[in-house]
Amino acid sequence: MIPAGFEYHRPRDLEGVLALLDEHGDDARVMAGGHSLIPMMKLRMADVPHLIDLQAVDGLAGIEIGADEIRLGAMVTQTEIIGHAGLAEAAPILREAALQIADPQVRNMGTVGGNIANGDPGNDMPGLMQCLDARFTLVGSGGVREVAAREFYEAAYMTAREDEEVLTAVTIPRPAGGHAYEKQKRKIGDYATAAAAVQIAKEGRACASAAIAMTNLSDTPVFSEGAGAALVGTAVDAAALAAASEAMLGDIDPTEDNRGPVAFKRHVAGVILRRAIERAWSRA
Amino acid sequence: MTKKMHITITVNGKEEEFLAEPRELLIYTLRERLNITGPHIGCDTSHCGACTVTLNGKSVKSCTMFVAQADGAEVETIEGIGGPDALHPLQVAFKEHHGLQCGFCTPGMITRATKLLEEIPNPTEEEIRFGMAGNICRCTGYQNIVKSIQAAAAEMSAAKEAAE
């Protein structure tokens, strides 16, 4: 409950953040909403001599809905995602997923950037962003680069972000077709036993494209290219669902914990994926 | 020991200034420094919501915020929502509909419910249960909390209509 002491910084611009990161190196951590970092600091599992609060930094807020792409500032909260009418129209899967994350108080503080950058496989946004083929903007003192969500996650708490970089924004191609974020959890606020993000486009009676990503079933989110490919060209019938499920099960690698043993998680993953595909298809 | 910061926060309309270590959690600032002991601590993993306060108009769990983050903020707690001589309709309704037993979750419940009723003035039962899902209660089984919030919503809507 009692975090260790730290020096607190509240820079007003990104230059200020980068200067602090360069000065303090490993001793510094940026904080967005604080709803993963502070709990870890309270358990003394995170040691943060210099805490850099991003709340006053210019340019990290805002939701922009473009003709082809959507841009979310890293400090956009889950509550803002849920409440944004334009976003609900352009990419309704974001609202559907955000409503399954944590609880009202946590959603008022927790940000999309923090959810993505945290690197905990339990977080829901990473798989969702892989499904949507989002790109993450990373800014360091050496410059700006973009990393695809599908390339970003390396292992639990290990991402492509360097220590001296800040994730500033998420860019999402406007999704087409039907969507679903289906999550099995023990109760409100729990990380998923298994969750699936699905976005499907239809042409005539057949599936034209399908993107599928799974949450909390490996030490990273899992984008299952094979599961999506198994649906393309089909009428998303029982055989196609079985093929997609089989491909997905080949890509995940769950571990046993108090959400259940491996066999159970694999079973739940199949059920959740089928439900997600069926709902997305019904909306396509 | 890290350097203390000069902090200014407004709590229930009153400006407070003091020196504090940045690591001080807002719930401790309220309870131990300012003697505002309505908000409670029920867990150390940010689940229970007993510490819920309103910060700059939003429901937050004050155990998951450093006082350093709250520097410059406006905070409202159960003590600012209403007192014995002027109870808020939610406080009246929790009393009349038996929405509390031990009372430990109640300050957080009612503080959260004030914002829920701003977000959704006439919520359905489902919206109440979902909107209050960040607050755990050990005693009531939630049923009477739902009734209390429904009663307060009806009361507040009627009062608003009468005023118009």
Side-chain angles (χ1 to χ4, degrees):
Chain A
M1 185 74 189
I2 312 296
F6 55 83
E7 299 293 338
Y8 174 80
H9 309 270
R10 194 190 290 189
R12 305 221 155 249
D13 52 32
L14 211 50
E15 290 70 34
V17 177
L18 298 176
L20 285 162
L21 284 172
D22 285 341
E23 184 186 346
H24 298 293
D26 280 355
D27 283 347
R29 278 285 287 276
V30 301
M31 181 175 72
H35 276 56
S36 295
L37 186 56
I38 295 175
M40 294 298 273
M41 291 171 76
K42 286 163 67 173
L43 295 167
R44 305 261 178 148
M45 290 171 78
D47 178 35
V48 184
H50 290 271
L51 187 70
I52 307 171
D53 187 345
L54 298 180
Q55 68 168 292
V57 175
D58 261 349
L60 299 183
I63 297 172
E64 292 161 28
I65 315 288
D68 302 319
E69 292 189 326
I70 297 160
R71 183 191 171 280
L72 306 177
M75 290 292 281
V76 167
T77 64
Q78 306 293 351
T79 298
E80 288 174 305
I81 286 176
I82 291 164
H84 194 281
L87 189 61
E89 174 79 31
I93 194 171
L94 286 169
R95 182 174 194 274
E96 181 165 303
L99 282 165
Q100 298 178 65
I101 295 174
D103 62 50
Q105 289 95 318
V106 176
R107 291 194 291 264
N108 280 339
M109 292 297 295
T111 67
V112 65
N115 197 295
I116 284 167
N118 189 28
D120 186 331
N123 287 119
D124 291 289
M125 287 284 166
L128 176 58
M129 293 300 164
Q130 291 191 334
C131 169
L132 295 174
D133 201 12
R135 307 186 307 277
F136 304 152
T137 304
L138 301 172
V139 181
S141 50
V144 182
R145 63 186 181 121
E146 275 197 337
V147 178
R150 294 175 189 175
E151 308 289 326
F152 188 70
Y153 297 95
E154 294 164 356
Y157 301 102
M158 301 286 288
T159 67
R161 187 183 64 81
E162 302 291 341
D163 284 345
E164 61 277 13
E165 287 181 315
V166 183
L167 189 152
T168 59
V170 184
T171 306
I172 305 166
R174 280 185 76 138
H179 70 279
Y181 192 78
E182 185 80 27
K183 178 175 176 179
Q184 172 66 40
K185 55 185 196 278
R186 297 170 300 180
K187 59 184 174 59
I188 283 280
D190 192 21
Y191 285 145
T193 304
V198 176
Q199 191 78 39
I200 298 185
K202 196 180 203 173
E203 211 173 276
R205 291 181 151 191
C207 168
S209 71
I212 289 170
M214 307 299 291
T215 294
N216 215 14
L217 291 159
S218 280
D219 63 346
T220 62
V222 172
F223 176 70
S224 181
E225 202 169 349
L231 299 179
V232 175
T234 74
V236 190
D237 50 17
L241 281 166
S245 184
E246 196 180 314
M248 177 277 290
L249 289 170
D251 289 339
I252 63 170
D253 183 20
T255 50
E256 177 168 341
D257 59 18
N258 52 16
R259 292 185 182 86
V262 171
F264 174 70
K265 289 189 175 184
R266 294 178 66 83
H267 172 74
V268 174
V271 172
I272 288 299
L273 179 60
R274 193 188 73 236
R275 288 181 188 167
I277 292 171
E278 284 173 348
R279 192 158 80 245
W281 184 242
S282 75
R283 289 162 162 171
Chain B
M1 180 83 115
T2 48
K3 207 167 59 188
K4 288 192 173 176
M5 283 177 66
H6 181 247
I7 305 279
T8 308
I9 53 175
T10 303
V11 183
N12 298 328
K14 187 172 167 229
E15 192 174 279
E16 306 279 359
E17 276 190 76
F18 48 88
L19 290 175
E21 279 191 71
R23 68 168 172 163
E24 184 173 301
L25 295 167
L26 181 59
I27 185 66
Y28 289 122
T29 306
L30 296 170
R31 291 182 53 82
E32 295 184 7
R33 187 181 286 282
L34 304 177
N35 208 25
I36 294 169
T37 57
H40 291 136
I41 299 171
C43 74
D44 63 358
T45 49
S46 312
H47 286 100
C48 79
C51 66
T52 298
V53 300
T54 304
L55 183 121
N56 293 336
K58 295 183 299 190
S59 298
V60 301
K61 295 179 176 178
S62 60
C63 76
T64 313
M65 172 167 286
F66 296 120
V67 70
Q69 289 172 274
D71 185 24
E74 289 197 22
V75 176
E76 188 178 47
T77 70
I78 187 68
E79 289 85 350
I81 286 168
D85 302 325
L87 291 177
H88 185 279
L90 273 161
Q91 292 170 317
V92 174
F94 269 66
K95 174 173 163 255
E96 289 186 355
H97 296 270
H98 305 285
L100 71 151
Q101 289 177 34
C102 84
F104 196 84
C105 76
T106 314
M109 282 284 177
I110 291 180
T111 308
R112 168 62 199 143
T114 60
K115 304 318 287 183
L116 172 65
L117 293 184
E118 280 177 25
E119 292 155 19
I120 315 174
N122 289 297
T124 62
E125 177 178 344
E126 195 182 348
E127 286 169 334
I128 291 171
R129 289 183 185 274
F130 191 70
M132 297 299 295
N135 294 74
I136 293 174
C137 174
R138 287 288 195 196
C139 301
T140 64
Y142 302 99
Q143 197 77 1
N144 286 348
I145 290 177
V146 173
K147 283 184 192 161
S148 302
I149 294 172
Q150 285 171 325
E155 173 71 29
M156 288 163 73
S157 292
K160 197 175 160 207
E161 258 174 48
E164 274 163 11

